[in-house]
Amino acid sequence: MQQDYQKDPFLILLVDDRPENLIALEEILEKPGRRFLKANSGNEALKLALKHEDIGLVLLDVQMPDMDGFEVAKMLKLNKKTQHLSVIFVTAISKEEKFVLQGFEEGAVDYLQKPLDINITRAKVNVFERLYLAQQKLKVSLQEIEMVNKQLERFVFTVSHDLKSPIATIAMLADMMQKDELIIKEPELLENASIIYNASSKLTGMIESILDYSRKSLNEQTIEEVDSFELVNEIIQILVLPKRINITVDNNLPKLKTKKIKLQQVFQNLITNAIKYNNKQNPEVHIGINNNTNEFYEFYVKDNGQGISKADHGKIFKLFETTDNKSSADSSTGVGLNLLKMLVEEQGGKIRVESTVDVGSTFFFEWRK
């Protein structure tokens, strides 16, 4: 692993007010792939730490005039540019617990006791070098993953957008064919035209779902305070539902700081599905909050609809998977619940369903506070 970073050596900042100690430390730790910066005072150490963002480790003497090691470590910890630095105190002061604890409180990760044991000193620095290189490799990997994800989102958006137009044209032509007098007189042709129209309409809906999600993912969403009770009621008003549908919303739904459009998308899809797949004469939907942990709210959307068989519980959140449930609207594309799952998991939460056939379903989802 170290050879991968030879062009970017492991940089160690040595801090001691006595030049002979700095020379001794460098001789002990000198090794291919390492580079050293040396400071004779706390102020000089702070200047070097701010100037060189690639410092991997600081070996810091505790007893120095003007500014001791504890003060330097505290200043490093308070500054955003340097608070990530690993600091090992090099000290001849007492090993009493109060001094050790003070060091750790000021940001130290370890201690080296003077006079230095050469083998222990080298071993400890080697450990922190490996940790630093692993962190750098992980950082690069995360950046690459983020770049790939953004490229994938752009690709999905572009492909979905480009496919939308020709498929919409096919659906339009198939619809025209169904209304053509010559085709109406031929049952087989009419059936084929109907199959083409239904298939292209379903595919258009599928692409529209993917396009909509890609568009929302690409846009930077601002975090704002959201009153989830008001949000749910706004969604209900937008849907303009028939009077026979009874929707109740618990008034204890919380206020939280989040990306409003993502939470809105989850609620809107779950409420829409609760109505869309309801075969009862008087559909009922109940929106509430279930559990409240330190990290998450668990919301739920409950209905008295046709329910979902246990055999389908495992596949309803998978992309393009559909169930045998009948809808009064267009057939499902199998995209919606998978996208909701992704939105919920972006928060670190989970989505689940409890359902009984002919009794109804309850969808629970966690949303970070």
Side-chain angles (χ1 to χ4, degrees), residues 36-89:
F36 298 91
L37 294 172
K38 288 175 281 188
N40 293 113
S41 68
N43 282 322
E44 188 181 354
L46 292 173
K47 290 177 182 178
L48 288 173
L50 289 169
K51 184 178 179 181
H52 298 271
E53 296 183 3
D54 55 340
I55 292 174
L57 181 64
V58 180
L59 268 69
L60 180 59
D61 184 35
V62 172
Q63 293 175 296
M64 294 187 295
D66 299 328
M67 184 185 295
D68 66 24
F70 292 138
E71 292 176 285
V72 175
K74 186 175 182 179
M75 295 295 290
L76 291 173
K77 188 177 179 181
L78 290 174
N79 194 302
K80 288 184 178 180
K81 290 185 177 180
T82 57
Q83 62 186 193
H84 66 283
L85 291 175
S86 296
V87 177
I88 297 179
F89 278 135

Side-chain angles (χ1 to χ4, degrees), residues 3 85 129 141 150 155 199 215 249 254 290 295 325 335:
Q3 291 181 352
L85 291 175
E129 181 177 9
S141 298
K150 287 182 178 179
F155 172 76
R215 188 184 298 117
V249 184
N290 189 36
E295 288 188 78
N325 286 22
V335 173

Side-chain angles (χ1 to χ4, degrees), residues 38-39 45 50 68 74 90 146 148-149 154 156-157 207-208 244 246 261 273 288 290-292 317 320 322 346 359:
K38 288 175 281 188
L50 289 169
D68 66 24
K74 186 175 182 179
V90 182
E146 184 179 359
V148 169
N149 284 339
R154 292 191 189 98
V156 170
F157 180 86
I207 291 171
E208 188 62 43
R244 67 184 182 87
N246 180 34
I261 195 165
N273 282 351
N290 189 36
N291 295 324
N292 183 4
F317 296 111
F320 301 138
T322 60
E346 279 181 10
V359 175

Side-chain angles (χ1 to χ4, degrees), residues 112-312:
L112 284 170
Q113 192 71 29
K114 292 180 180 179
L116 294 176
D117 182 302
I118 293 176
N119 291 328
I120 290 177
T121 300
R122 286 174 176 168
K124 287 191 174 184
V125 172
N126 287 342
V127 168
F128 283 103
E129 181 177 9
R130 287 196 293 271
L131 285 173
Y132 175 80
L133 294 176
Q135 288 171 349
Q136 293 303 107
K137 190 172 183 180
L138 177 61
K139 184 178 179 181
V140 171
S141 298
L142 290 174
Q143 290 172 344
E144 290 174 350
I145 290 170
E146 184 179 359
M147 183 177 67
V148 169
N149 284 339
K150 287 182 178 179
Q151 290 175 341
L152 181 59
E153 286 181 345
R154 292 191 189 98
F155 172 76
V156 170
F157 180 86
T158 301
V159 171
S160 301
H161 187 273
D162 290 346
L163 285 174
K164 184 180 174 183
S165 180
I167 292 173
T169 300
I170 293 171
M172 182 185 68
L173 291 173
D175 186 47
M176 291 173 61
M177 290 172 64
Q178 290 181 99
K179 297 172 182 176
D180 189 283
E181 292 184 3
L182 294 176
I183 299 235
I184 291 173
K185 294 177 181 178
E186 298 290 338
E188 188 175 347
L189 290 177
L190 182 60
E191 183 181 357
N192 290 339
S194 178
I195 291 172
I196 295 171
Y197 176 76
N198 291 333
S200 57
S201 295
K202 183 176 181 179
L203 188 54
T204 299
M206 189 182 295
I207 291 171
E208 188 62 43
S209 296
I210 296 173
L211 186 60
D212 183 57
Y213 180 75
S214 298
R215 188 184 298 117
K216 286 182 172 65
S217 297
L218 288 169
N219 291 338
E220 289 295 328
Q221 305 293 335
T222 56
I223 294 177
E224 57 189 296
E225 185 171 85
V226 179
D227 187 325
S228 57
F229 177 76
E230 291 183 1
L231 177 65
V232 170
N233 281 284
E234 287 172 5
I235 292 169
I236 293 169
Q237 290 177 358
I238 291 170
L239 293 176
V240 191
L241 303 171
K243 291 183 179 180
R244 67 184 182 87
I245 298 174
N246 180 34
I247 298 185
T248 56
V249 184
D250 287 352
N251 58 14
N252 65 338
L253 294 187
K255 292 181 180 179
L256 64 161
K257 288 188 176 180
T258 188
K259 296 180 179 179
K260 181 178 180 179
I261 195 165
K262 292 184 181 291
L263 182 59
Q264 177 180 334
Q265 189 174 11
V266 175
F267 270 124
Q268 186 166 325
N269 276 270
L270 289 177
I271 294 169
T272 301
N273 282 351
I275 297 164
K276 181 178 177 181
Y277 295 100
N278 200 309
N279 56 358
K280 301 295 170 57
Q281 185 66 31
N282 295 301
E284 294 183 4
V285 180
H286 181 202
I287 299 100
I289 187 166
N290 189 36
N291 295 324
N292 183 4
T293 67
N294 291 331
E295 288 188 78
F296 299 96
Y297 293 112
E298 186 178 60
F299 297 98
Y300 66 85
V301 177
K302 182 179 181 180
D303 64 68
N304 67 334
Q306 55 191 292
I308 304 167
S309 67
K310 286 188 177 180
D312 286 334

